[in-house]
Amino acid sequence: MHYEYTLQYNPCAMCVGKSHCRECAERIAGAIRDTGLAENVEADTREKYLRFDAEPADLPEIEDALEGAGAMI
């Protein structure tokens, strides 16, 4: 199943230069990929979106990984 969320990344609020957006987005996407539960993961902290394919039963574990990375959906 395909999911698309509005992304909130807590460290963005404290980031003044906004020069590490790509790195931060990759950190978020990597946290989801590392679970092995999602595919086709895309994150963008500037545009504030998160997209991925996963099974509905795996969402709680994916959300925990996001929270651990400082992101919220």
Side-chain angles (χ1 to χ4, degrees), residues 7-13 23-25 27-28 45 66 69-72:
L7 175 66
Q8 291 183 309
Y9 186 51
N10 294 337
C12 284
E23 294 167 27
C24 291
R27 187 175 304 118
I28 294 165
T45 55
L66 282 171
M72 301 180 74

Side-chain angles (χ1 to χ4, degrees), residues 40-61:
N40 305 317
V41 181
E42 296 178 54
D44 190 314
T45 55
R46 283 187 188 259
E47 298 296 321
K48 298 182 179 1
Y49 70 77
L50 176 65
R51 301 175 184 137
F52 58 90
D53 297 321
E55 295 299 320
D58 295 330
L59 285 179
E61 206 168 328

Side-chain angles (χ1 to χ4, degrees), residues 2-43:
H2 185 75
Y3 294 92
E4 185 167 337
Y5 295 99
T6 299
L7 175 66
Q8 291 183 309
Y9 186 51
N10 294 337
C12 284
M14 294 176 260
C15 180
V16 177
K18 306 294 185 212
S19 59
H20 301 284
C21 295
R22 184 178 298 257
E23 294 167 27
C24 291
E26 184 53 40
R27 187 175 304 118
I28 294 165
I32 296 173
R33 279 190 212 103
D34 289 349
T35 66
L37 300 173
E39 297 177 342
N40 305 317
V41 181
E42 296 178 54

